[in-house]
Amino acid sequence: MRVITGKYKGRHFVVPHSFKARPTTDFAKENIFNVLRGYADFDGLSVLDLFAGTGSISLEFLSRGCSRVVSVEKDYQHCAFIRNVFQKLNDSAACLLQADVLRYLPRCTEEFDIVFADPPYTLRELASLPDLVLCGVVVAPGGIFVLEHGKDNDFSCHPAFVEHREYGSVNFTIFRKNAQ
């Protein structure tokens, strides 16, 4: 796993082969971050990375200057890996929570400028994630929610839908919470 750009550009972290996570490909990651750069200047933003897996997405946000990046991951082994990477970086903006995302979201009271979710494509609740994330306080008004998903999901009719991007077998849907 490597960091694409920013202050940690080129840093490599070896992900154990025993991981069950499906990391976002470098190609897809680079492209979605290029798209997101058109929506927000990352410097100083707060980010929530749901289903953090290897922590790859969190690292990209940290590298680009976000002031707070909270990674939520349930798996103990994955959390241990992310914790180790965060310790190596010694970046005070990084925060790791070992928690079940579906239980964490309804209890979360913190607002984030960007929420990124990369759930297992087979997650039974995947179709309801946009409502779960956007209807609470998790996304700040005017904030962005990015959902990575498989090709079988279509969120284009969702009221907060902004755009869909496809990079090979990786799909991203971008939503924006109404500014109120």
Side-chain angles (χ1 to χ4, degrees), residues 47-68:
V47 175
L48 178 62
D49 181 11
L50 302 171
F51 306 96
T54 62
S56 174
I57 298 298
S58 294
L59 290 176
E60 291 297 333
F61 281 115
L62 287 168
S63 188
R64 287 165 167 79
C66 292
S67 63
R68 180 159 165 76

PDB file of all heavy atoms in Angstrom, residues 47-68:
ATOM      1  N   VAL A  47     -12.384  14.678   8.468  1.00  0.00           N
ATOM      2  CA  VAL A  47     -12.796  13.547   7.629  1.00  0.00           C
ATOM      3  C   VAL A  47     -13.108  12.346   8.505  1.00  0.00           C
ATOM      4  O   VAL A  47     -12.410  12.075   9.489  1.00  0.00           O
ATOM      5  CB  VAL A  47     -11.676  13.178   6.624  1.00  0.00           C
ATOM      6  CG1 VAL A  47     -12.036  11.931   5.839  1.00  0.00           C
ATOM      7  CG2 VAL A  47     -11.387  14.341   5.691  1.00  0.00           C
ATOM      8  N   LEU A  48     -14.141  11.617   8.107  1.00  0.00           N
ATOM      9  CA  LEU A  48     -14.496  10.350   8.743  1.00  0.00           C
ATOM     10  C   LEU A  48     -14.358   9.255   7.705  1.00  0.00           C
ATOM     11  O   LEU A  48     -14.972   9.321   6.640  1.00  0.00           O
ATOM     12  CB  LEU A  48     -15.943  10.406   9.263  1.00  0.00           C
ATOM     13  CG  LEU A  48     -16.497   9.136   9.910  1.00  0.00           C
ATOM     14  CD1 LEU A  48     -15.699   8.754  11.160  1.00  0.00           C
ATOM     15  CD2 LEU A  48     -17.973   9.331  10.254  1.00  0.00           C
ATOM     16  N   ASP A  49     -13.507   8.262   7.980  1.00  0.00           N
ATOM     17  CA  ASP A  49     -13.278   7.138   7.082  1.00  0.00           C
ATOM     18  C   ASP A  49     -13.938   5.903   7.695  1.00  0.00           C
ATOM     19  O   ASP A  49     -13.445   5.364   8.686  1.00  0.00           O
ATOM     20  CB  ASP A  49     -11.776   6.922   6.889  1.00  0.00           C
ATOM     21  CG  ASP A  49     -11.435   5.776   5.949  1.00  0.00           C
ATOM     22  OD1 ASP A  49     -12.339   5.252   5.270  1.00  0.00           O
ATOM     23  OD2 ASP A  49     -10.242   5.406   5.897  1.00  0.00           O
ATOM     24  N   LEU A  50     -15.061   5.498   7.105  1.00  0.00           N
ATOM     25  CA  LEU A  50     -15.828   4.355   7.609  1.00  0.00           C
ATOM     26  C   LEU A  50     -15.408   3.078   6.902  1.00  0.00           C
ATOM     27  O   LEU A  50     -15.168   3.089   5.698  1.00  0.00           O
ATOM     28  CB  LEU A  50     -17.318   4.605   7.388  1.00  0.00           C
ATOM     29  CG  LEU A  50     -17.887   5.869   8.036  1.00  0.00           C
ATOM     30  CD1 LEU A  50     -19.315   6.113   7.569  1.00  0.00           C
ATOM     31  CD2 LEU A  50     -17.823   5.763   9.550  1.00  0.00           C
ATOM     32  N   PHE A  51     -15.373   1.972   7.637  1.00  0.00           N
ATOM     33  CA  PHE A  51     -14.907   0.689   7.120  1.00  0.00           C
ATOM     34  C   PHE A  51     -13.465   0.886   6.624  1.00  0.00           C
ATOM     35  O   PHE A  51     -13.140   0.594   5.478  1.00  0.00           O
ATOM     36  CB  PHE A  51     -15.795   0.170   5.986  1.00  0.00           C
ATOM     37  CG  PHE A  51     -17.257   0.078   6.332  1.00  0.00           C
ATOM     38  CD1 PHE A  51     -18.133   1.099   6.010  1.00  0.00           C
ATOM     39  CD2 PHE A  51     -17.762  -1.048   6.968  1.00  0.00           C
ATOM     40  CE1 PHE A  51     -19.484   1.020   6.313  1.00  0.00           C
ATOM     41  CE2 PHE A  51     -19.116  -1.150   7.280  1.00  0.00           C
ATOM     42  CZ  PHE A  51     -19.970  -0.111   6.953  1.00  0.00           C
ATOM     43  N   ALA A  52     -12.604   1.397   7.501  1.00  0.00           N
ATOM     44  CA  ALA A  52     -11.268   1.858   7.119  1.00  0.00           C
ATOM     45  C   ALA A  52     -10.364   0.769   6.539  1.00  0.00           C
ATOM     46  O   ALA A  52      -9.442   1.093   5.794  1.00  0.00           O
ATOM     47  CB  ALA A  52     -10.590   2.529   8.313  1.00  0.00           C
ATOM     48  N   GLY A  53     -10.598  -0.479   6.866  1.00  0.00           N
ATOM     49  CA  GLY A  53      -9.826  -1.577   6.259  1.00  0.00           C
ATOM     50  C   GLY A  53      -8.346  -1.476   6.540  1.00  0.00           C
ATOM     51  O   GLY A  53      -7.889  -1.695   7.656  1.00  0.00           O
ATOM     52  N   THR A  54      -7.559  -1.119   5.527  1.00  0.00           N
ATOM     53  CA  THR A  54      -6.107  -0.989   5.677  1.00  0.00           C
ATOM     54  C   THR A  54      -5.701   0.413   6.123  1.00  0.00           C
ATOM     55  O   THR A  54      -4.541   0.644   6.434  1.00  0.00           O
ATOM     56  CB  THR A  54      -5.394  -1.291   4.343  1.00  0.00           C
ATOM     57  OG1 THR A  54      -5.814  -0.326   3.373  1.00  0.00           O
ATOM     58  CG2 THR A  54      -5.689  -2.698   3.857  1.00  0.00           C
ATOM     59  N   GLY A  55      -6.627   1.357   6.093  1.00  0.00           N
ATOM     60  CA  GLY A  55      -6.317   2.736   6.433  1.00  0.00           C
ATOM     61  C   GLY A  55      -5.799   3.544   5.259  1.00  0.00           C
ATOM     62  O   GLY A  55      -5.413   4.700   5.403  1.00  0.00           O
ATOM     63  N   SER A  56      -5.817   2.962   4.073  1.00  0.00           N
ATOM     64  CA  SER A  56      -5.282   3.603   2.883  1.00  0.00           C
ATOM     65  C   SER A  56      -5.944   4.948   2.585  1.00  0.00           C
ATOM     66  O   SER A  56      -5.264   5.935   2.274  1.00  0.00           O
ATOM     67  CB  SER A  56      -5.444   2.657   1.685  1.00  0.00           C
ATOM     68  OG  SER A  56      -5.075   3.277   0.495  1.00  0.00           O
ATOM     69  N   ILE A  57      -7.259   5.014   2.678  1.00  0.00           N
ATOM     70  CA  ILE A  57      -7.988   6.254   2.398  1.00  0.00           C
ATOM     71  C   ILE A  57      -7.673   7.294   3.472  1.00  0.00           C
ATOM     72  O   ILE A  57      -7.436   8.469   3.172  1.00  0.00           O
ATOM     73  CB  ILE A  57      -9.502   5.991   2.291  1.00  0.00           C
ATOM     74  CG1 ILE A  57      -9.809   5.032   1.121  1.00  0.00           C
ATOM     75  CG2 ILE A  57     -10.283   7.291   2.177  1.00  0.00           C
ATOM     76  CD1 ILE A  57      -9.419   5.554  -0.251  1.00  0.00           C
ATOM     77  N   SER A  58      -7.623   6.872   4.723  1.00  0.00           N
ATOM     78  CA  SER A  58      -7.272   7.781   5.819  1.00  0.00           C
ATOM     79  C   SER A  58      -5.895   8.392   5.588  1.00  0.00           C
ATOM     80  O   SER A  58      -5.694   9.590   5.802  1.00  0.00           O
ATOM     81  CB  SER A  58      -7.278   7.033   7.158  1.00  0.00           C
ATOM     82  OG  SER A  58      -8.567   6.607   7.501  1.00  0.00           O
ATOM     83  N   LEU A  59      -4.949   7.573   5.153  1.00  0.00           N
ATOM     84  CA  LEU A  59      -3.591   8.064   4.900  1.00  0.00           C
ATOM     85  C   LEU A  59      -3.578   9.125   3.816  1.00  0.00           C
ATOM     86  O   LEU A  59      -2.841  10.115   3.909  1.00  0.00           O
ATOM     87  CB  LEU A  59      -2.672   6.918   4.500  1.00  0.00           C
ATOM     88  CG  LEU A  59      -2.330   5.925   5.600  1.00  0.00           C
ATOM     89  CD1 LEU A  59      -1.489   4.780   5.040  1.00  0.00           C
ATOM     90  CD2 LEU A  59      -1.614   6.607   6.739  1.00  0.00           C
ATOM     91  N   GLU A  60      -4.381   8.927   2.774  1.00  0.00           N
ATOM     92  CA  GLU A  60      -4.438   9.924   1.702  1.00  0.00           C
ATOM     93  C   GLU A  60      -4.983  11.253   2.213  1.00  0.00           C
ATOM     94  O   GLU A  60      -4.460  12.311   1.874  1.00  0.00           O
ATOM     95  CB  GLU A  60      -5.290   9.422   0.530  1.00  0.00           C
ATOM     96  CG  GLU A  60      -4.677   8.278  -0.242  1.00  0.00           C
ATOM     97  CD  GLU A  60      -3.362   8.617  -0.932  1.00  0.00           C
ATOM     98  OE1 GLU A  60      -3.119   9.794  -1.271  1.00  0.00           O
ATOM     99  OE2 GLU A  60      -2.562   7.691  -1.137  1.00  0.00           O
ATOM    100  N   PHE A  61      -6.012  11.205   3.042  1.00  0.00           N
ATOM    101  CA  PHE A  61      -6.556  12.444   3.601  1.00  0.00           C
ATOM    102  C   PHE A  61      -5.542  13.107   4.533  1.00  0.00           C
ATOM    103  O   PHE A  61      -5.364  14.331   4.497  1.00  0.00           O
ATOM    104  CB  PHE A  61      -7.871  12.182   4.337  1.00  0.00           C
ATOM    105  CG  PHE A  61      -9.068  12.049   3.442  1.00  0.00           C
ATOM    106  CD1 PHE A  61      -9.763  10.851   3.356  1.00  0.00           C
ATOM    107  CD2 PHE A  61      -9.520  13.122   2.684  1.00  0.00           C
ATOM    108  CE1 PHE A  61     -10.880  10.728   2.524  1.00  0.00           C
ATOM    109  CE2 PHE A  61     -10.627  13.015   1.861  1.00  0.00           C
ATOM    110  CZ  PHE A  61     -11.307  11.811   1.780  1.00  0.00           C
ATOM    111  N   LEU A  62      -4.862  12.329   5.362  1.00  0.00           N
ATOM    112  CA  LEU A  62      -3.829  12.881   6.247  1.00  0.00           C
ATOM    113  C   LEU A  62      -2.711  13.519   5.439  1.00  0.00           C
ATOM    114  O   LEU A  62      -2.247  14.616   5.758  1.00  0.00           O
ATOM    115  CB  LEU A  62      -3.247  11.779   7.146  1.00  0.00           C
ATOM    116  CG  LEU A  62      -4.126  11.270   8.272  1.00  0.00           C
ATOM    117  CD1 LEU A  62      -3.533  10.003   8.871  1.00  0.00           C
ATOM    118  CD2 LEU A  62      -4.302  12.345   9.337  1.00  0.00           C
ATOM    119  N   SER A  63      -2.289  12.838   4.394  1.00  0.00           N
ATOM    120  CA  SER A  63      -1.199  13.314   3.560  1.00  0.00           C
ATOM    121  C   SER A  63      -1.540  14.626   2.873  1.00  0.00           C
ATOM    122  O   SER A  63      -0.663  15.442   2.596  1.00  0.00           O
ATOM    123  CB  SER A  63      -0.842  12.249   2.519  1.00  0.00           C
ATOM    124  OG  SER A  63       0.329  12.590   1.819  1.00  0.00           O
ATOM    125  N   ARG A  64      -2.814  14.839   2.609  1.00  0.00           N
ATOM    126  CA  ARG A  64      -3.263  16.045   1.914  1.00  0.00           C
ATOM    127  C   ARG A  64      -3.576  17.203   2.857  1.00  0.00           C
ATOM    128  O   ARG A  64      -4.108  18.219   2.445  1.00  0.00           O
ATOM    129  CB  ARG A  64      -4.486  15.716   1.056  1.00  0.00           C
ATOM    130  CG  ARG A  64      -4.123  14.912  -0.182  1.00  0.00           C
ATOM    131  CD  ARG A  64      -5.363  14.300  -0.808  1.00  0.00           C
ATOM    132  NE  ARG A  64      -5.130  13.785  -2.137  1.00  0.00           N
ATOM    133  CZ  ARG A  64      -4.548  12.628  -2.417  1.00  0.00           C
ATOM    134  NH1 ARG A  64      -4.120  11.855  -1.445  1.00  0.00           N
ATOM    135  NH2 ARG A  64      -4.390  12.222  -3.667  1.00  0.00           N
ATOM    136  N   GLY A  65      -3.314  17.041   4.156  1.00  0.00           N
ATOM    137  CA  GLY A  65      -3.415  18.160   5.081  1.00  0.00           C
ATOM    138  C   GLY A  65      -4.703  18.303   5.855  1.00  0.00           C
ATOM    139  O   GLY A  65      -4.955  19.370   6.432  1.00  0.00           O
ATOM    140  N   CYS A  66      -5.532  17.274   5.905  1.00  0.00           N
ATOM    141  CA  CYS A  66      -6.752  17.355   6.716  1.00  0.00           C
ATOM    142  C   CYS A  66      -6.379  17.500   8.191  1.00  0.00           C
ATOM    143  O   CYS A  66      -5.413  16.903   8.656  1.00  0.00           O
ATOM    144  CB  CYS A  66      -7.626  16.128   6.495  1.00  0.00           C
ATOM    145  SG  CYS A  66      -8.319  16.063   4.829  1.00  0.00           S
ATOM    146  N   SER A  67      -7.141  18.308   8.912  1.00  0.00           N
ATOM    147  CA  SER A  67      -6.799  18.598  10.313  1.00  0.00           C
ATOM    148  C   SER A  67      -7.248  17.496  11.271  1.00  0.00           C
ATOM    149  O   SER A  67      -6.715  17.393  12.377  1.00  0.00           O
ATOM    150  CB  SER A  67      -7.415  19.924  10.745  1.00  0.00           C
ATOM    151  OG  SER A  67      -8.827  19.841  10.682  1.00  0.00           O
ATOM    152  N   ARG A  68      -8.203  16.682  10.860  1.00  0.00           N
ATOM    153  CA  ARG A  68      -8.678  15.570  11.697  1.00  0.00           C
ATOM    154  C   ARG A  68      -9.186  14.478  10.784  1.00  0.00           C
ATOM    155  O   ARG A  68     -10.041  14.726   9.923  1.00  0.00           O
ATOM    156  CB  ARG A  68      -9.785  16.037  12.629  1.00  0.00           C
ATOM    157  CG  ARG A  68     -10.345  14.953  13.541  1.00  0.00           C
ATOM    158  CD  ARG A  68     -11.033  15.581  14.742  1.00  0.00           C
ATOM    159  NE  ARG A  68     -11.878  14.662  15.479  1.00  0.00           N
ATOM    160  CZ  ARG A  68     -11.436  13.720  16.319  1.00  0.00           C
ATOM    161  NH1 ARG A  68     -10.152  13.583  16.521  1.00  0.00           N
ATOM    162  NH2 ARG A  68     -12.285  12.935  16.966  1.00  0.00           N
TER     163      ARG A  68
END
